[in-house]
Amino acid sequence: LLSGGGLGAAGTAGTTTVASAGGANYDGTPRNPVVFTATGLNLNHTGGQTTFDLFLDAGSAVGNGVQVRVSYDLTGDGSWERVETYRYFATDPVPGWEHYTQSAGLHSSSGSLGNLRGGTVRVEVWSAIGANPTTLGVGDRSVVRLPYT
């Protein structure tokens, strides 16, 4: 995840803010997400699955939960052939990085993966629950690994 919303090779360490859910529940429904996108991808599917390691820090805030959705448009035509929404990660109220990974499990998924031919991948990160913002590490911190070569 790169500053400015790109997806690519590791960049300079940085952070971005994931907006608060405002005390509401947005479990499974992106609201005010931080969005990272890569377009024009020509890659072959390996048969594997998406993996990620997101660096999160809610500081001393209690009750925050951050969620991620990874969407694949295999041909770049604007339709999402595969959408994966993972269960939210409940942060702790202790300052310092925590790791949100795919081991949280899928909240929902639709479609199937295939080869990318001029494709687009979009990663959305938002607060599913909580009344405070959360810091997301980017650049050389958070990583999304696509099942492609």
Side-chain angles (χ1 to χ4, degrees):
L1 306 181
L2 302 174
S3 293
L7 288 173
T12 303
T15 61
T16 191
T17 301
V18 179
S20 160
N25 184 330
Y26 297 102
D27 187 13
T29 306
R31 179 182 170 273
N32 296 325
V34 178
V35 180
F36 303 89
T37 307
T39 59
L41 301 174
N42 293 299
L43 301 167
N44 295 318
H45 183 236
T46 63
Q49 298 298 314
T50 308
T51 62
F52 60 90
D53 182 3
L54 302 185
F55 280 51
L56 299 172
D57 183 10
S60 58
V62 175
N64 278 9
V66 174
Q67 198 160 27
V68 65
R69 173 176 287 172
V70 182
S71 303
Y72 296 87
D73 174 355
L74 301 180
T75 61
D77 67 357
S79 65
W80 303 102
E81 283 80 18
R82 173 72 175 173
V83 178
E84 303 169 354
T85 304
Y86 291 84
R87 290 188 181 101
Y88 69 77
F89 178 81
T91 58
D92 67 28
V94 179
W97 293 119
E98 297 180 75
H99 295 270
Y100 172 25
T101 70
Q102 72 283 346
S103 65
L106 283 170
H107 173 279
S108 64
S109 64
S110 63
S112 39
L113 291 169
N115 294 335
L116 290 162
R117 296 295 176 256
T120 299
V121 176
R122 179 177 66 195
V123 176
E124 299 168 275
V125 183
W126 74 97
S127 289
I129 60 171
N132 294 285
T134 300
T135 300
L136 171 66
V138 297
D140 66 349
R141 292 187 174 119
S142 295
V143 175
V144 176
R145 290 181 184 88
L146 308 177
Y148 290 89
T149 57

